[in-house]
Amino acid sequence: MYGISLGDDGAELRPLEPWHAEEFLAHLDRGREFINRFVPFGEKATDLASARDMLQRYADLRAADNASLHGLWLDGKLVGGVLFLNFDAENANCEVGCWLEPAGTGRGLVTRAMRVLLDFAIEQRGIHRVEWIAAVDNRSSLNVARRLGMSREGVRRECYPHHGVRLDLEVWSILAPEWRATRARAAHNDH
């Protein structure tokens, strides 16, 4: 119904909703092994019903203003997404995250989409602190945090059990004034 263009390469950011279940499942099946290296995102969505349930769970969280999924389409094909987690408007904090199938990597899709999410969270919703958490070995994810101007706050050692291994997680964040300064610098450099 509507989307936000992320550039002239056919990339688009759109809400990812329960009616996308079939497309979402096909996307997860294409990228499942790659996506699940560091996070269990979509691991339990293995058929149409469970994919729809997952999307419905996020739709309910969106209605409660706690989380939301946003799909990344490239030339009309769902290749990944970005999301809000732990969205806490009252305390002006939230977490953001992402996932991609291999076909969506190396194009800056997550960075471009995340700029839209950060602008929305900070400028429209009044969020002050946005957090990014990723496994220390997930270099691609951590590079996005860097490109967005986030600061590395530290490592939560062996805090995340995943596929029989306890992963170290890096915590990155950006505060509203820092984001505004980053955006102002980017706008200045574009001219």
Side-chain angles (χ1 to χ4, degrees):
M1 182 177 140
Y2 60 93
I4 297 169
S5 173
L6 295 176
D8 57 8
D9 62 352
E12 202 172 38
L13 178 68
R14 300 184 215 154
L16 185 54
E17 299 174 325
W19 65 272
H20 291 116
E22 196 170 324
E23 187 176 11
F24 181 61
L25 178 62
H27 151 65
L28 288 177
D29 287 344
R30 287 190 305 270
R32 193 174 302 279
E33 187 177 321
F34 183 78
I35 294 166
N36 295 147
R37 292 172 306 153
F38 301 109
V39 292
F41 183 82
E43 254 182 2
K44 294 180 178 152
T46 55
D47 58 25
L48 198 53
S50 55
R52 189 175 290 109
D53 286 348
M54 180 179 173
L55 294 177
Q56 185 61 55
R57 194 168 57 255
Y58 273 94
D60 294 343
L61 287 167
R62 183 181 198 137
D65 205 23
N66 297 130
S68 57
L69 294 181
H70 310 270
L72 289 167
W73 276 263
L74 191 58
D75 296 323
K77 182 177 180 182
L78 181 65
V79 295
V82 291
L83 68 155
F84 283 119
L85 299 157
N86 307 314
F87 199 93
D88 180 359
E90 185 178 343
N91 292 304
N93 297 314
C94 74
E95 181 184 340
V96 291
C98 65
W99 77 95
L100 283 175
E101 67 178 73
T105 61
R107 300 165 181 270
L109 293 177
V110 169
T111 302
R112 289 183 275 160
M114 201 54 72
R115 287 183 183 125
V116 174
L117 259 61
L118 292 176
D119 279 341
F120 170 77
I122 291 167
E123 302 305 341
Q124 293 185 37
R125 297 300 311 280
I127 294 294
H128 177 72
R129 175 189 162 84
V130 179
E131 196 167 80
W132 185 283
I133 301 172
V136 296
D137 292 333
N138 191 347
R139 302 318 309 163
S140 296
S141 184
L142 297 174
N143 285 337
V144 172
R146 258 186 216 95
R147 284 192 292 273
L148 293 169
M150 292 186 166
S151 297
R152 181 179 183 265
E153 295 184 341
V155 176
R156 293 166 52 200
R157 299 179 311 139
E158 295 186 9
C159 70
Y160 189 69
H162 183 62
H163 294 169
V165 178
R166 295 193 66 86
L167 300 179
D168 293 347
L169 297 181
E170 286 193 19
V171 179
W172 291 65
S173 72
I174 194 161
L175 305 178
E178 297 165 344
W179 176 245
R180 290 181 184 116
T182 297
R183 295 300 276 162
R185 278 192 303 278
H188 178 75
N189 291 337
D190 287 346
H191 295 301

